[in-house]
């Protein structure tokens, strides 16, 4: 789905300001037991780069990515030594392979059909027994919010989408703003 809000300099600056105190530190803590220190990690939808920075503190081989040129400009100027790719979450068009793929509040911008395509592609670009870790907004249906497509999910849908390609290691609610408004999924490539 096209998401105009992430594509202009003004709105990207606004998002970075609004999200300055938000990061995935707690999610990354949950992911750590499943990753070794030398695992290579691809982050999808790095946006402001807060999670990329936390991941990078522990693992050397962390590649960030986004499909917004504005966010990529921000990432490369804020982290000049970082590695960032222009990647769309659905096509994930890269020849690189990773031990882990991480995203925090990105996959909800995909329709169910796009999510299924992305999951297959994620499996293709992961090494054997590779790990995925993604967060979602919990709920039913979808809406357009600030010009952004937002797809809500329940645990059962996520299990159905991921189970063909991934063994689910962790699937549970967590609280971002309202009680249990989010879901974290961690899985291992089958
Ligand atoms: C809600 S922000 C989250 C950013 C960051 N993960 C965080 O937690 O602050 C969503 C990010 O995903 C990116 N994004 C949205 N749809 C995408 C897609 N189809 N492919 C790649 N990135 C996408 C946006 O450009 C934006 O940087």
């Amino acid at each position: 789905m096209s998401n105009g809000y992430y594509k202009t300099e003004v709105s990207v600056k606004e998002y970075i300001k609004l999200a300055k105190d938000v990061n995935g530190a707690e999610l990354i803590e949950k992911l750590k037991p499943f990753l070794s220190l030398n695992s290579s990690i691809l982050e999808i939808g790095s946006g402001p780069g807060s999670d990329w920075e936390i991941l990078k503190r522990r693992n050397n081989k962390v590649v960030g990515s986004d499909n917004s040129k504005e966010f990529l400009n921000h990432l490369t100027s804020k982290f000049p030594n970082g590695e960032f790719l222009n990647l769309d979450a659905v096509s994930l068009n890269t020849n690189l392979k990773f031990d882990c793929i991480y995203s925090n509040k990105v996959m909800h911008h995909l329709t169910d059909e796009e999510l299924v395509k992305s999951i297959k592609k994620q499996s293709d670009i992961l090494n054997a027994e590779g790990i995925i870790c993604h967060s979602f907004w919990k709920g039913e249906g979808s809406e357009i919010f600030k010009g952004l497509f937002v797809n809500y999910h329940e645990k059962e849908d996520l299990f159905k989408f991921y189970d063909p390609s991934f063994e689910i290691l962790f699937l549970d609610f967590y609280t971002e703003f309202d009680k249990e408004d989010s879901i974290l999924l961690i899985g291992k490539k089958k």
Side-chain angles (χ1 to χ4, degrees):
M1 276 271 165
S2 150
N3 283 310
Y5 180 79
Y6 294 135
K7 306 285 158 96
T8 76
E9 195 179 342
V10 173
S11 48
V12 161
K13 278 195 174 138
E14 179 188 77
Y15 181 87
I16 291 169
K17 216 165 147 189
L18 287 172
K20 72 176 175 8
D21 299 323
V22 184
N23 63 55
E26 286 180 27
L27 313 185
I28 293 167
E29 279 306 311
K30 295 231 162 67
L31 168 64
K32 274 181 185 172
F34 301 103
L35 282 188
S36 72
L37 289 174
N38 60 0
S39 300
S40 58
I41 304 173
L42 170 69
E43 181 183 18
I44 301 175
S46 300
S50 314
D51 290 21
W52 180 86
E53 205 174 5
I54 297 170
L55 290 164
K56 185 78 181 165
R57 264 183 235 140
R58 179 173 181 268
N59 284 61
N60 259 329
K61 294 176 267 175
V62 185
V63 176
S65 71
D66 211 287
N67 74 343
S68 152
K69 285 207 180 89
E70 292 299 335
F71 270 120
L72 287 168
N73 288 343
H74 160 80
L75 289 162
T76 48
S77 69
K78 184 165 181 195
F79 307 106
N81 298 322
E83 192 180 344
F84 298 100
L85 304 176
N86 185 347
L87 280 189
D88 184 82
V90 184
S91 53
L92 291 171
N93 196 5
T94 174
N95 293 325
L96 299 173
K97 291 241 178 186
F98 300 90
D99 301 316
C100 172
I101 299 176
Y102 170 91
S103 77
N104 184 11
K105 294 291 167 65
V106 177
M107 294 296 157
H108 63 277
H109 291 309
L110 309 187
T111 62
D112 289 354
E113 202 183 15
E114 287 171 335
L115 181 59
V116 168
K117 280 190 193 155
S118 174
I119 291 167
K120 286 206 182 97
K121 197 66 218 250
Q122 288 177 46
S123 175
D124 290 347
I125 64 165
L126 275 172
N127 292 321
E129 304 201 334
I131 297 290
I132 49 164
C133 177
H134 301 294
S135 71
F136 299 85
W137 291 111
K138 175 187 175 295
E140 285 176 1
S142 61
E143 65 173 340
I144 304 286
F145 178 75
K146 278 196 173 190
L148 291 168
F149 174 77
V150 180
N151 200 3
Y152 296 91
H153 294 285
E154 296 292 354
K155 275 189 195 176
E156 296 72 21
D157 313 331
L158 293 175
F159 188 86
K160 189 182 77 197
F161 291 140
Y162 280 89
D163 181 56
S165 315
F166 290 91
E167 176 193 343
I168 308 298
L169 303 171
F170 181 95
L171 180 59
D172 210 354
F173 304 131
Y174 70 95
T175 298
E176 181 146 346
F177 300 123
D178 297 321
K179 195 171 182 322
E180 299 195 334
D181 59 0
S182 302
I183 303 181
L184 178 68
L185 179 148
I186 300 176
K188 182 163 80 172
K189 179 173 163 170
K190 280 184 176 171

